[in-house]
Amino acid sequence: MMSQMPQPTALSRCPSCEEPLEAGDRFCGACGYDLSAVPAPPQDHPTITMNGSSPRPSEAAASLDWPLAPEPASSDTPAPVHRAADIRGLDSGGSELPHPDTESAGVQQPSEHPSGAQPSGAQPSGVRFDRRPEPDEYPLAPPAGAPAGPVVDPRTADLGASVTPPAGTKLCVACRSGHVDSDGYCENCGHAQPRERDHMEQELGAVAAVSDRGLRHHRNEDAFAISSTALPDGSPAVVAIVCDGVSSATRPDEASLAASRAANEALLAALPLGTHPQQAMHEAILAAAEAVNALAEAPPAHEEHAPHQNAPACTLVGAVVTPTLLIVGWVGDSRAYWVPVDRATPPARLTEDDSWAAQMVAAGLMSEAQAYADERAHAITGWLGADAYELEPHTASFKPDRPGVVVVCTDGLWNYAEAAEEMAEVVPLDAAERPLHSAQVLVGHALDGGGHDNVTVAVVPFPAPPQGAGSA
């Protein structure tokens, strides 16, 4: 689910007991928790920026700035790869990426856009502010029409006396005696059964991904797709796609699933034919957008009964890793991070959010601190969906000069490790050898931090190992 919630400037609930707080409280009135001991959230300073809006990087960070290859004119012409000293490059839209030595006073103005530059108090066009308020918890009631009679208490029930259900039926995970109905509830105790997408894990050797519903939401609206294939010369190419459904839209879970599958299939079809990975990523994002747009085509009867529903929507971030190149592509505020194996060298954030705050900073209307302190900071300005204002896929190609891992994730994770340095601290040291374990650790970090959102992360080692070749 998209992170469109404002960044709070003060605590609204006690971190210890969740008791509501009043402005100016220094101690929780319920449990006595010392509110002054709560640390302020860290500021995010990406090592690599795509629009020149961040402060000038330190000398240590500058040593990791990789070159970006321009998008090829055709699939037959490979993109040139430069040495690490050359940072100039083009994104998939043809815009020049800034050099890290660019001073903050020379911030690039955004390319001409129908939304235009808005004053800080104005709401730019193409921004989603329609998120519905959601409760912290979703109580689950017993299903309507549950059979009358005494309910078996799972704490005292004789589980050994349970009868094996007929073929094709499932037993309740709570009481182990009732059958599960077609709606996913136990006919005996009314307990809601875990859904397939509540927690998903997949590993393919050279890439792994984990997705979890989180602790506060009633369903998982994230989705992922991972795979590997072979390039025409036989070298491997590993793919990871992560999508985050926009919760204010209709059927966001279907949108993320359709987008992740479409993008993955497009990449698996294009890469073996020799299409440059950056061009293939651009085309994959367009294919994902078409798949999400198709979900908006509803029967007339459906539209008549629910005219207020908007089109399904989601964000997308993806990575393609080969033995020599790392390609990322994205639309929205899901992110990709680079974490080197040698932690003595700096990590990097590889994507720039399509968000209100990033737009204000890029236009020079607000400082980064001012923009991210605003309640509109995390409203997204780019997404996949039939109601998207304008689809602008972003892609970039890098040539890392050392081994590492690419972390591809939704905001359900990076909200708890926003800066590249914070993400590197959470990623296990053996992530390149154990990507599934690393993905599990990262999801666990988000859940331990509160699990306020769906959490999805894919971990892709670089360079792609030879055993990663082959169809998935």
Side-chain angles (χ1 to χ4, degrees):
M1 185 180 56
M2 296 312 314
S3 175
Q4 301 177 56
M5 295 189 297
Q7 294 291 309
T9 57
L11 294 172
S12 59
R13 291 179 179 273
C14 174
S16 176
C17 66
E18 294 292 329
E19 183 72 15
L21 302 174
E22 298 292 339
D25 283 352
R26 298 179 59 189
F27 296 91
C28 176
C31 68
Y33 189 85
D34 184 0
L35 301 176
S36 64
V38 181
Q43 293 185 354
D44 178 28
H45 299 287
T47 303
I48 295 179
T49 59
M50 300 302 174
N51 62 7
S53 60
S54 293
R56 181 176 179 174
S58 64
E59 292 300 325
S63 64
L64 187 66
D65 289 344
W66 303 320
L68 292 99
E71 183 175 309
S74 66
S75 59
D76 298 330
T77 305
V81 176
H82 306 283
R83 299 182 62 82
D86 304 321
I87 193 61
R88 293 290 185 178
L90 301 176
D91 64 14
S92 60
S95 300
E96 187 176 70
L97 298 173
H99 193 280
D101 290 335
T102 303
E103 297 294 339
S104 59
V107 174
Q108 279 188 318
Q109 295 301 316
S111 58
E112 184 175 354
H113 192 282
S115 62
Q118 302 289 334
S120 60
Q123 177 175 312
S125 302
V127 183
R128 299 194 74 107
F129 288 98
D130 55 347
R131 178 177 183 172
R132 298 186 300 270
E134 298 186 14
D136 286 342
E137 297 180 357
Y138 293 84
L140 298 174
V151 177
V152 177
D153 188 338
R155 298 169 296 181
T156 59
D158 183 6
L159 301 182
S162 60
V163 180
T164 302
T169 61
K170 294 190 295 185
L171 281 179
C172 173
V173 298
C175 69
R176 296 291 182 183
S177 61
H179 296 172
V180 178
D181 63 19
S182 58
D183 293 327
Y185 291 89
C186 175
E187 296 177 344
N188 180 55
C189 68
H191 190 93
Q193 305 301 295
R195 287 166 290 193
E196 179 182 1
R197 290 181 64 176
D198 282 357
H199 186 87
M200 302 178 291
E201 297 185 1
Q202 186 179 4
E203 182 179 29
L204 295 178
V207 59
V210 176
S211 181
D212 192 272
R213 184 185 68 179
L215 305 179
R216 298 297 183 93
H217 294 289
H218 68 293
R219 65 179 176 185
N220 189 358
E221 296 171 353
D222 290 354
F224 68 81
I226 58 176
S227 60
S228 62
T229 186
L231 301 176
D233 62 359
S235 60
V238 181
V239 175
I241 302 293
V242 169
C243 296
D244 188 349
V246 177
S247 61
S248 58
T250 304
R251 298 167 11 235
D253 52 333
E254 296 181 27
S256 62
L257 184 62
S260 61
R261 288 177 173 175
N264 182 64
E265 292 171 0
L267 286 167
L268 291 181
L271 293 173
L273 299 179
T275 305
H276 187 273
Q278 188 174 357
Q279 179 65 29
M281 177 63 76
H282 182 91
E283 296 172 355
I285 295 176
L286 296 180
E290 292 180 1
V292 178
N293 292 348
L295 296 177
E297 301 175 2
H302 176 78
E303 295 176 354
E304 291 174 3
H305 288 86
H308 63 283
Q309 293 185 347
N310 52 11
C314 70
T315 67
L316 180 148
V317 61
V320 175
V321 170
T322 73
T324 58
L325 287 178
L326 161 59
I327 291 85
V328 294
W330 73 98
V331 173
D333 66 347
S334 293
R335 295 180 176 180
Y337 291 83
W338 163 259
V339 179
V341 170
D342 180 6
R343 300 303 170 85
T345 57
R349 198 180 98 193
L350 306 177
T351 58
E352 184 71 22
D353 297 344
D354 287 322
S355 67
W356 184 90
Q359 189 178 68
M360 293 297 102
V361 174
L365 300 176
M366 303 176 72
S367 68
E368 189 172 14
Q370 291 172 330
Y372 282 96
D374 193 283
E375 63 180 8
R376 298 162 290 183
H378 285 263
I380 58 172
T381 59
W383 62 87
L384 304 181
D387 64 348
Y389 186 67
E390 182 177 353
L391 178 60
E392 296 181 358
H394 311 287
T395 65
S397 179
F398 302 91
K399 187 179 182 182
D401 58 359
R402 66 204 67 193
V405 295
V406 185
V407 177
V408 186
C409 64
T410 62
D411 60 344
L413 171 61
W414 66 251
N415 276 330
Y416 299 98
E418 188 166 358
E421 293 77 12
E422 294 175 309
M423 185 65 71
E425 291 178 359
V426 183
V427 175
L429 295 176
D430 60 353
E433 289 75 32
R434 303 173 64 193
L436 178 58
H437 171 259
S438 299
Q440 293 168 336
V441 168
L442 291 171
V443 169
H445 174 75
L447 298 180
D448 290 343
H452 286 73
D453 203 347
N454 307 144
V455 189
T456 302
V457 57
V459 177
V460 194
F462 177 90
Q467 63 267 24
S471 178

